[in-house]
Amino acid sequence: MQKNQLTWMIGGPQGSGINASAEVFAKACSRAGLRVYANIEYHSNIMGKHSFYRVRVGDEDVRSYRDNTDILVALDHETLAGDGDHRRWATHFGHLHQLNEGGGVIYDSEIDFDPSQSGRPELRFYPVPFMEIIKKALEEVGKGEQARRYEVMKNTVGLGASLALCDYPFDLVGEVIRGQFKGKRSEVGELNVRAARLAFDHVRDNFDADGFPYTLKPGPEPKARILAKGYEIAAIAKLKAGCALQTYYPISPATDESVFLEKHQREYGLLVVQCEDEISSINMAVGASHMGVRASTATSGPGFALMVEGIGFASITEAPGPVLVLYQRGGPSTGLPTRQEQGDLLFALHPAQGDFPHIVTAPGDLRETYQDIFSAFNWAERYQLPVIVLSDKKLAAIYTTIDKLELKYDQIDRGALFTGSEWTSVDAKGPNDGHAANGNGHGNGELKEYLRYALTKDGISPRSRPGIQGGRFWSTTDEHDPDGHITEGVEMRVAMMRKRMGKLALVAKAIPQDQQFTLHGAADAELTIVAWGSTKGTVLDSIKVLEAEGKKINFLQCRLMRPFPAQAVGDILRNAKRVVCIEENYSGQLATHIAAETGFLIKDRINKFDGRPFSEDEMIAAIRGALAGKTEAVVTNVR
Amino acid sequence: MSVSAPVKLTIKDYKSELHNDWCPGCGDFGILTGIQMALAQLQLDPDKVAMFSGIGCSGKTPHYINAYGFHTLHGRVLPVATGGRLANTALTVIALGGDGDGYGIGAGYFVNTGRRNLDFTYLVHNNNVYGLTKGQASPTLSKGKRTKSMPEQAIQDGINPIAMAVAAGYTFIARAYALDPKHCAQIIARAIQHKGSALVDVLQTCPTYNDLYTKEWYEGADLPEKKSRLYKLEERGYDGKVQDPSDPEEIVAKKAAAVARSYEREPIPIGVYYEALLPTYEDEIYKRIPSLKDTPLVEMDTFHRDVTPLLEAMR
């Protein structure tokens, strides 16, 4: 039986509105009960360079993209043929080679393009007069002469035409378009619906669309799913967790999260501050954390490179935060600003000088992102340390259906607090290094006053905040004594290092196992795949396909990176028949981390570092290769 | 500003019991006393004051003050203090650091913090050298000068912090002299009381490394008439205060006057160069989130916000 699924792609120059069309289509599918996985590839450029958006939809869960598409909507020549004709070193070769057999290509008939010379003459080509259709739509409201001003509606024309091909109900899409243009702009919305409809009719009337092999029906029944982007879920998690201050400096692909929060800051009473640089962002968030609010920031690799001193600062001063979402992108340096890479794991694990505790976690999908960011604020406050949540360009930008967004662990935990109503009951006895003999009465085992860095049994000193009567304290980035005054004394140094570093063991015990790692699939597999972060969905989709062929593969998804569940992960790997680590970076950073933490060296590593995420097809090929003992680097099929 | 405590507070109430490790005769002592005198003068509850400092000799200042104290990073004190201030607008926030900290490594934050006009005070201990690293030239040392600690003359020129503060947007700009703690205290108290970003550049001696700008030099001991190399602006009829903040012409005129004075050398003006009551960053925040006016961020219940409307919009 033919599955009800489809991959639809639109390509065009940046600024041509491909996002709008793709997202309208995605929404029209989601609302009708289909599952959606949509992802965009774009250049670090405002206008003109090639971008494309692909939307994979179907009845079954989709968690990755496919190499090939069934329908391509081309807004320009480059989408068809690539940029080899005007660049010395071609960036890409157009998308015709990515069409499934018999697939359809809708393109602007004004484009100088000859299908017979395209190299894929067997495809179905549908030249559509985009501007004529826009003009016609405008004529209906007496604005026919303004067509050039409405050229941006070409994207809608392309969308409308494609719906006729795959036989998708037009009204579902029309409704979404109307929803995007509310209030004063509703007139523009109607205009867009009209243009899309004319394009839809044009294809019906002028081509034999009935024979098109790739059709799509609405789902069996509409489901109340949400269709969300990764950065939106990250932002919503922060709102839910009680984040009071978000700081940021603009950087792709992290900015969207902060802008989303800023858009909603009035209704939620959350302050968003755009800083002068990332050093300011992190330090502002550290200052606010010490002052007692839940603070966070979001950045990408180049910004994180500036923030690192703030991580050390937060950690040695035992700040109850901040939470930092690090959206990885292609590195090093400026690298590939808008492209995918899992290249910052080792950097996030060792971001600054000295040994200090912090938490690093790497959720694998949007639901895990929601939970981990929410939990991160609790961890930061309970253990008084900074928390890094590793995300990436793919997780930030995917637009995908989520059945239900809920928190399994939904308690707010602010950790041990000095309330001011009574003296803390902690035992403040600590080594006297001579320097602390300042007459405050501590060092003799009897607590006479509040000590911010009291040496407690578990290493966690109840925290105060400025403004609390009697909770006064000092804090310094120098090594310090329980008062928070500078010390260079040997005993105190050792005690404070042990106090701080010891917190990691508490974290390791407290974080639920299912937030640390997951072994997907049966224990007795012929191959164990190790991966982390946003490749989760791709690995799961691929395994599903290979399982149907009778292959027995399981998948160890590493999520909590620091403290690392070394014992459990090591046990799984040592018992595995064969292990391969698959990552979207050059060197295999997780494999390196695992070797350091567990002593288990994964030699078979499959890496992809071309700035594009694994497609399902590439992942399947890579796993097949691994099964056959081949572990070559993967270069994207989609160029 | 916080509420005064019922009992009359004296300078002693603002002194911590920590042993001080600055060099004998350090100008930092004068600034420390100036801060403590100002806090006593304003009767600020020590629990409602948050001090933030950078790194260097001056960075240790909060440890000697009985108030909440944060000794942060080199050059980053302003962002940290800004975050602190935004989180709790009920507190008095005072940031301080050296001239290298504020005008060198932290110059970007110095400029951008001025743009915000956040209601807080920033004191810069300006002694022309990096003391804790043994006397290298700081960003305020002029070209061609060489202290005894420097192997070569300064190859680049010094910046003018007053003029820079004017350009950046600080709304209270003053200069004080560390060895005149009483005047210094008055200026600091005015800076704290000022609604908006206040910069006090405090000229300070470094008896260990700076043998050019010594106590004797400031006092003019080497001059034939032994006349001080400092003069107080207010004693010469200078008034840097903008009377009508809604008048852009007056603002520009007062800024121009402040900049002109800031280039005066021998004698160097101390006192208030410029003062204007303009909307603060907090005022702008209250326009966006009015509830923050009465309830500081730290007191707000921000937990488990109802995100259903955001999720519903994604259907």
Side-chain angles (χ1 to χ4, degrees):
Chain A
M1 196 188 85
Q2 174 83 21
K3 281 184 182 168
N4 189 34
Q5 62 174 27
L6 186 86
T7 294
W8 179 97
M9 184 194 281
I10 184 166
Q14 280 172 200
S16 64
I18 65 157
N19 307 44
S21 293
E23 287 167 17
V24 162
F25 180 59
K27 196 156 220 173
C29 293
S30 170
R31 281 190 183 163
L34 297 170
R35 291 174 196 266
V36 176
Y37 182 95
N39 68 327
I40 185 166
E41 284 295 344
Y42 61 104
H43 278 84
S44 179
N45 153 270
I46 293 174
M47 217 173 267
K49 282 206 162 181
H50 178 62
S51 59
F52 64 94
Y53 209 138
R54 82 166 77 61
V55 186
R56 182 181 181 188
V57 296
D59 288 335
E60 289 174 23
D61 204 1
V62 277
R63 296 161 290 194
S64 58
Y65 76 91
R66 298 291 308 269
D67 278 351
N68 287 353
T69 183
D70 304 310
I71 294 176
L72 171 68
V73 178
L75 299 187
D76 63 355
H77 184 265
E78 187 174 329
T79 299
L80 298 165
D83 60 0
D85 59 344
H86 61 272
R87 283 183 69 103
R88 187 173 174 203
W89 311 101
T91 312
H92 70 114
F93 308 103
H95 299 282
L96 291 180
H97 67 98
Q98 293 151 19
L99 275 147
N100 279 319
E101 217 170 298
V105 183
I106 288 163
Y107 64 100
D108 189 346
S109 54
E110 278 182 32
I111 296 172
D112 181 17
F113 173 71
D114 178 2
S116 65
Q117 302 297 308
S118 69
R120 294 288 306 268
E122 81 285 7
L123 295 174
R124 294 160 197 251
F125 289 92
Y126 304 90
V128 173
F130 282 38
M131 284 314 293
E132 251 177 60
I133 287 173
I134 291 172
K135 202 170 162 210
K136 211 165 148 193
L138 285 161
E139 273 164 1
E140 291 176 17
V141 289
K143 289 183 179 175
E145 77 290 351
Q146 296 181 28
R148 279 291 157 199
R149 274 183 55 200
Y150 287 87
E151 197 176 338
V152 70
M153 288 195 336
K154 277 182 174 181
N155 60 344
T156 314
V157 172
L159 171 62
S162 68
L163 296 172
L165 268 198
C166 61
D167 199 27
Y168 197 70
F170 180 84
D171 290 345
L172 289 172
V173 173
E175 186 194 322
V176 178
I177 296 175
R178 284 192 184 94
Q180 311 259 334
F181 297 89
K182 283 181 183 152
K184 274 189 221 155
R185 297 172 66 229
S186 61
E187 212 176 295
V188 185
E190 284 308 321
L191 206 53
N192 273 280
V193 174
R194 205 166 295 139
R197 180 78 220 189
L198 288 168
F200 184 87
D201 293 342
H202 178 89
V203 171
R204 285 258 164 110
D205 298 345
N206 293 281
F207 301 102
D208 177 21
D210 283 348
F212 190 70
Y214 304 106
T215 58
L216 189 67
K217 292 189 294 292
E221 55 183 286
K223 295 265 176 6
R225 291 191 185 109
I226 60 169
L227 181 62
K229 291 191 182 140
Y231 69 80
E232 295 173 334
I233 296 302
I236 290 171
K238 289 186 172 184
L239 287 172
K240 188 86 180 160
C243 176
L245 179 76
Q246 165 97 351
T247 59
Y248 79 105
Y249 182 80
I251 186 166
S252 299
T255 318
D256 291 334
E257 180 198 298
S258 298
V259 172
F260 181 91
L261 285 170
E262 192 168 353
K263 210 159 76 183
H264 296 286
Q265 70 171 1
R266 291 174 190 238
E267 68 226 61
Y268 285 103
L270 158 103
L271 212 52
V272 179
V273 181
Q274 184 187 328
C275 298
E276 52 272 29
D277 61 24
E278 287 88 352
I279 298 174
S280 180
S281 303
I282 185 87
N283 285 301
M284 217 178 268
V286 175
S289 299
H290 269 304
M291 202 60 100
V293 305
R294 290 192 158 188
S296 69
T297 185
T299 191
S300 181
F304 186 66
L306 294 186
M307 287 187 174
V308 295
E309 62 175 0
I311 305 284
F313 166 30
S315 192
I316 193 171
T317 58
E318 303 199 54
V323 170
L324 188 164
V325 181
L326 170 53
Y327 292 94
Q328 301 163 96
R329 69 187 212 191
S333 193
T334 309
L336 298 165
T338 59
R339 309 291 180 175
Q340 169 68 9
E341 194 160 275
Q342 298 180 307
D344 299 343
L345 173 61
L346 293 178
F347 183 29
L349 286 166
H350 302 281
Q353 72 272 27
D355 279 318
F356 59 88
H358 72 312
I359 296 173
V360 181
T361 188
D365 58 27
L366 300 197
R367 280 196 294 189
E368 291 177 3
T369 298
Y370 190 55
Q371 179 67 65
D372 286 357
I373 291 179
F374 181 89
S375 300
F377 286 92
N378 286 342
W379 301 336
E381 291 197 323
R382 168 150 295 277
Y383 303 103
Q384 301 179 26
L385 38 68
V387 181
I388 297 170
V389 180
L390 277 171
S391 184
D392 56 29
K393 182 258 168 164
K394 185 185 9 166
L395 271 188
I398 49 168
Y399 194 40
T400 189
T401 39
I402 303 174
D403 281 352
K404 200 170 184 189
L405 193 67
E406 57 185 6
L407 295 165
K408 185 172 171 193
Y409 309 105
D410 67 347
Q411 296 292 308
I412 297 286
D413 175 10
R414 306 213 65 192
L417 296 173
F418 170 76
T419 59
S421 58
E422 50 183 7
W423 295 118
T424 51
S425 57
V426 296
D427 176 11
K429 196 199 288 186
N432 189 333
D433 66 343
H435 189 77
N438 55 20
N440 279 350
H442 52 267
N444 58 6
E446 190 188 331
L447 184 70
K448 290 186 180 161
E449 60 181 331
Y450 171 67
L451 295 170
R452 175 65 180 83
Y453 300 99
L455 291 161
T456 59
K457 280 200 181 69
D458 65 358
I460 294 171
S461 324
R463 60 190 176 93
S464 172
R465 63 171 173 84
I468 291 198
Q469 293 293 334
R472 215 172 306 143
F473 66 87
W474 294 272
S475 154
T476 174
T477 51
D478 281 77
E479 189 55 275
H480 44 264
D481 56 29
D483 268 317
H485 287 316
I486 300 169
T487 183
E488 294 182 24
V490 170
E491 285 83 2
M492 192 57 78
R493 160 66 171 182
V494 171
M496 283 293 168
M497 281 299 287
R498 289 192 170 137
K499 165 188 173 20
R500 288 190 298 267
M501 296 306 289
K503 294 190 290 188
L504 285 172
L506 302 180
V507 176
K509 254 187 256 167
I511 294 181
Q513 195 211 282
D514 63 354
Q515 270 183 295
Q516 300 201 17
F517 65 92
T518 307
L519 183 64
H520 302 269
D524 62 331
E526 57 187 305
L527 179 73
T528 297
I529 295 169
V530 182
W532 63 285
S534 68
T535 51
K536 176 189 172 186
T538 322
V539 173
L540 288 175
D541 278 357
S542 305
I543 290 179
K544 202 168 139 187
V545 172
L546 291 165
E547 269 176 350
E549 296 174 8
K551 305 259 191 312
K552 285 177 91 175
I553 302 162
N554 62 12
F555 164 33
L556 175 62
Q557 181 205 348
C558 291
R559 184 158 157 197
L560 184 65
M561 297 297 181
R562 194 180 194 215
F564 193 72
Q567 188 63 47
V569 166
D571 287 348
I572 291 168
L573 297 179
R574 276 184 284 271
N575 290 319
K577 283 198 187 112
R578 182 173 203 160
V579 181
V580 63
C581 192
I582 305 182
E583 301 181 63
E584 285 166 354
N585 56 43
Y586 181 87
S587 63
Q589 298 194 8
L590 176 63
T592 300
H593 184 44
I594 288 174
E597 290 283 338
T598 69
F600 186 93
L601 183 65
I602 305 172
K603 286 193 192 125
D604 288 347
R605 305 178 184 189
I606 297 177
N607 298 84
K608 190 167 195 277
F609 52 92
D610 56 16
R612 311 300 191 272
F614 274 100
S615 68
E616 183 188 303
D617 307 83
E618 290 159 358
M619 182 64 80
I620 290 171
I623 298 170
R624 281 192 213 285
L627 285 165
K630 261 178 35 193
T631 52
E632 287 162 359
V634 174
V635 176
T636 202
N637 295 327
V638 182
R639 266 175 286 174
Chain B
M1 197 164 307
S2 57
V3 184
S4 300
V7 188
K8 174 112 175 130
L9 294 156
T10 68
I11 186 166
K12 272 174 118 178
D13 294 304
Y14 300 99
K15 290 184 175 173
S16 84
E17 293 162 63
L18 186 68
H19 173 74
N20 194 308
D21 66 2
W22 286 328
C23 303
C26 177
D28 280 334
F29 286 105
I31 301 172
L32 174 62
T33 306
I35 296 168
Q36 289 161 335
M37 285 169 71
L39 294 173
Q41 190 188 319
L42 300 172
Q43 288 290 294
L44 295 176
D45 179 349
D47 282 331
K48 307 285 182 205
V49 175
M51 307 282 313
F52 294 85
S53 65
I55 293 296
C57 296
S58 63
K60 297 177 180 176
T61 308
H63 291 283
Y64 306 129
I65 294 174
N66 195 22
Y68 279 94
F70 297 93
H71 180 196
T72 72
L73 291 173
H74 195 38
R76 321 303 179 208
V77 60
L78 291 177
V80 183
T82 299
R85 169 71 192 164
L86 293 174
N88 193 345
T89 42
L91 304 185
T92 298
V93 169
I94 301 168
L96 57 89
D99 45 341
D101 197 292
Y103 307 144
I105 187 171
Y109 314 108
F110 177 71
V111 170
N112 284 284
T113 305
R115 289 172 59 208
R116 292 192 184 98
N117 196 29
L118 196 77
D119 187 4
F120 87 114
T121 302
Y122 181 37
L123 313 175
V124 178
H125 301 220
N126 179 357
N127 65 1
N128 320 106
V129 290
Y130 286 86
L132 205 50
T133 50
K134 304 197 190 311
Q136 298 73 34
S138 91
T140 57
L141 192 70
S142 307
K143 187 170 178 173
K145 299 287 181 192
R146 181 184 169 195
T147 66
K148 64 178 179 186
S149 54
M150 293 164 58
E152 293 266 20
Q153 290 179 353
I155 198 167
Q156 54 192 350
D157 215 346
I159 60 119
N160 178 336
I162 302 290
M164 213 159 89
V166 168
Y170 287 84
T171 52
F172 180 97
I173 300 162
R175 178 164 258 166
Y177 176 51
L179 301 188
D180 184 352
K182 220 170 135 186
H183 178 258
C184 186
Q186 284 168 12
I187 299 287
I188 293 173
R190 277 183 66 183
I192 294 172
Q193 282 179 297
H194 172 73
K195 196 167 164 284
S197 288
L199 168 76
V200 184
D201 179 78
V202 190
L203 301 173
Q204 178 208 356
T205 53
C206 175
T208 306
Y209 296 114
N210 188 341
D211 58 336
L212 298 178
Y213 304 112
T214 59
K215 178 171 180 284
E216 293 70 29
W217 184 87
Y218 280 112
E219 286 170 354
D222 56 314
L223 298 174
E225 65 275 31
K226 308 227 181 302
K227 212 166 149 251
S228 169
R229 282 190 167 95
L230 302 169
Y231 79 90
K232 289 176 180 146
L233 283 163
E234 60 272 25
E235 287 175 0
R236 298 209 183 166
Y238 176 85
D239 181 6
K241 183 161 183 175
V242 173
Q243 299 302 322
D244 179 5
S246 66
D247 177 5
E249 280 179 28
E250 191 197 349
I251 290 177
V252 172
K254 289 272 157 65
K255 283 188 168 185
V259 170
R261 291 275 175 166
S262 74
Y263 281 98
E264 287 183 9
R265 283 285 169 269
E266 305 202 22
I268 302 165
I270 58 171
V272 180
Y273 280 73
Y274 175 78
E275 185 180 359
L277 270 179
L278 292 166
T280 61
Y281 195 80
E282 290 87 335
D283 290 331
E284 301 302 332
I285 289 169
Y286 302 151
K287 274 190 221 160
R288 289 163 170 76
I289 310 171
S291 57
L292 280 178
K293 195 168 184 175
D294 302 314
T295 315
L297 212 46
V298 72
E299 306 283 357
M300 294 225 309
D301 181 4
T302 55
F303 309 102
H304 273 305
R305 291 183 179 105
D306 180 14
V307 297
T308 326
L310 298 176
L311 297 176
E312 282 302 319
M314 294 175 178
R315 291 206 194 285

